[in-house]
Amino acid sequence: MSLTQVGRTIDLNTGASIPIVGMYPFTTAKTQTSYVVSWLVQALKNGYRHIDTAVLYQTETAVGKAIRESGIPRDELFVTTKLPYSNHYGKVRESLEQSLQKLGLDYVDLYLIHWPQSVVYEDDDVFYPKNSDGSLKVTDSPNFHDAYAEMEKLFKEGKAKAIGVSNFSIKTLEELLTTAKVIPAVNQVELHPYLQQPELIEYCTIKGIIVAAYTPSGYSVVRNDPVIGELAKKYAVTPNQVILGWHIARDTVIISKSENDQRQKENIMLPKLNADDVAKIDGLDRGERVCNKPGHDGLMWGWTMERLGW
C-alpha cells in the first residue's frame, strides 16, 4: 500500500488555514528544556508545521527556541497556545503576553481556552490550587464567558489570529455562544476510535467550528484493538498510522506527540483508508475516555461530568 505525506490544511472560519497534523510538546517539569528543543527541531525538520503548546505544558520557551533554531520562516508555521484555567481570573491579556514573550513571537495563530473550568488564581506558578481536602479550587466568577470576551479583544488586535476552546461539549459551547461575538475557530477534545463524539462533531460542523483531536491514537488501549491490528497488516503500517489515517479520512485535525525521529516521520506518512475500512473503525466507538477521566470523587478538574456536558 502506498503512503502519503500529510501536508494538507483545513480552512478555519477566519479564512486562515490550519495544518491537519500538529505536534504536541507536552512534558514534565523535570524535563530539560534543551531536550524538548532538540526533538521539536527534529519534528520541524521532518515536516511538521503546526505546534500545539500551552501554559500548562510548560514548553512555550522550548517551542520558541526550536522555531528559531529550525530557521523556518514564521509565516510557514502555525502555533497554538492555551489559556490556563487559573488565568481566567482577569489575567487573559497578561497570560497571552507572557506566552508570546516565552515563545518569542508577536502573535499566535490560535489561542484556546484550555478548560471551561475557572480556578482561583493564587500565583503565576500555581496551576492547580487546592482546597484543604485536596480538591481543586474552582470558582464561578470569573467564568469562561468573561475569559472569552477578553480573548475576542486580543483576536481583534491581531495578537491571536484565531481563538477557540478546548474540552468543550455541546452543553458548554451552547452556553458560550449565548455571549460570544466571535464563533470559536477550533474545539480541541479527546477523540479516537473508542471516543468518536459524533454528536459533538456534527454540532461543531454546523457552527463552523473545526474539531481537533488530542490523544488521537487512544494510547495502547485502542492501538491493541484486533480491528486496528488487522488493518495495520492490510496496509503494512503501524496501528498508530492506521488510526491517524482514519482521522485524516474524517477531516479531523490531529494533535499527536512523538519524541522519536522514526515515529515522527511515520505519523505524517499515512495510508489512505478505503471507505469500508473507515467504517470498520467507526464501529469501534464505545464512548470511552482514556486520557481525561473523572477521579474517585466523580470530578474532572473540579467539575462533575454533568457540568462539563460529558
Side-chain angles (χ1 to χ4, degrees):
M1 295 287 180
S2 62
L3 303 180
T4 302
Q5 181 165 350
V6 181
R8 70 184 180 91
T9 60
I10 297 285
D11 291 336
L12 299 178
N13 59 21
T14 61
S17 298
I18 182 171
I20 199 167
V21 179
M23 177 58 70
Y24 155 61
F26 178 79
T27 187
T28 64
K30 294 181 180 179
T31 304
Q32 293 292 324
T33 296
S34 59
Y35 173 66
V36 180
V37 171
S38 68
W39 64 259
L40 278 177
V41 169
Q42 176 180 277
L44 291 167
K45 289 180 178 178
N46 282 334
Y48 290 83
R49 292 296 180 265
H50 174 183
I51 300 180
D52 183 284
T53 186
V55 172
L56 294 178
Y57 304 165
Q58 301 181 63
T59 54
E60 290 174 317
T61 298
V63 168
K65 289 182 177 179
I67 289 172
R68 291 188 292 277
E69 286 189 21
S70 74
I72 297 169
R74 172 66 182 93
D75 61 4
E76 294 182 14
L77 298 171
F78 191 100
V79 180
T80 300
T81 195
K82 306 179 189 72
L83 175 75
Y85 34 41
S86 56
N87 285 353
H88 289 206
Y89 219 81
K91 292 176 63 63
V92 177
R93 179 177 295 275
E94 182 182 344
S95 187
L96 180 56
E97 292 287 0
Q98 290 172 345
S99 291
L100 291 173
Q101 184 176 21
K102 290 177 181 178
L103 290 163
L105 301 176
D106 296 323
Y107 66 90
V108 290
D109 297 278
L110 179 62
Y111 195 41
L112 304 178
I113 290 181
H114 205 152
W115 286 88
Q117 302 93 314
S118 296
V119 302
V120 174
Y121 174 79
E122 292 185 349
D123 186 85
D124 284 349
D125 296 323
V126 179
F127 299 132
Y128 308 100
K130 299 292 181 65
N131 294 304
S132 58
D133 64 358
S135 61
L136 197 65
K137 285 186 180 179
V138 294
T139 180
D140 292 328
S141 180
N143 52 42
F144 60 71
H145 297 278
D146 303 316
Y148 196 79
E150 290 301 306
M151 289 170 60
E152 289 177 328
K153 296 176 184 176
L154 297 168
F155 168 65
K156 290 179 181 178
E157 293 170 16
K159 292 183 181 294
K161 300 300 183 182
I163 55 176
V165 296
S166 181
N167 295 300
F168 273 57
S169 62
I170 293 175
K171 177 180 180 178
T172 47
L173 280 170
E174 287 190 329
E175 291 174 9
L176 177 63
L177 292 178
T178 63
T179 58
K181 297 176 182 177
V182 176
I183 301 295
V186 170
N187 182 22
Q188 187 180 125
V189 296
E190 181 179 343
L191 190 68
H192 46 74
Y194 281 8
L195 183 69
Q196 298 183 24
Q197 308 209 58
E199 295 86 2
L200 178 61
I201 290 177
E202 181 181 11
Y203 179 88
C204 287
T205 300
I206 291 170
K207 296 295 182 182
I209 302 168
I210 294 298
V211 175
Y214 69 77
T215 320
S217 75
Y219 303 145
S220 60
V221 176
V222 181
R223 291 196 297 265
N224 289 335
D225 187 283
V227 171
I228 301 298
E230 280 179 24
L231 293 175
K233 290 179 181 177
K234 174 179 176 178
Y235 288 91
V237 295
T238 67
N240 197 61
Q241 287 172 293
V242 167
I243 297 170
L244 298 186
W246 170 78
H247 282 291
I248 296 297
R250 291 157 51 96
D251 288 332
T252 302
V253 174
I254 303 164
I255 309 299
S256 64
K257 181 200 172 187
S258 180
E259 301 172 11
N260 178 272
D261 179 63
Q262 182 58 37
R263 286 195 294 272
Q264 286 179 2
K265 293 173 181 175
E266 288 175 353
N267 289 350
I268 54 174
M269 293 293 294
L270 301 176
K272 183 176 181 180
L273 305 184
N274 66 45
D276 288 342
D277 292 334
V278 170
K280 286 180 182 178
I281 299 176
D282 289 346
L284 298 178
D285 192 16
R286 57 181 71 175
E288 180 181 346
R289 296 182 182 277
V290 299
C291 179
N292 284 305
K293 298 184 285 187
H296 296 301
D297 57 4
L299 301 178
M300 182 70 233
W301 299 126
W303 274 16
T304 63
M305 295 299 99
E306 180 182 5
R307 180 67 189 93
L308 281 164
W310 287 10

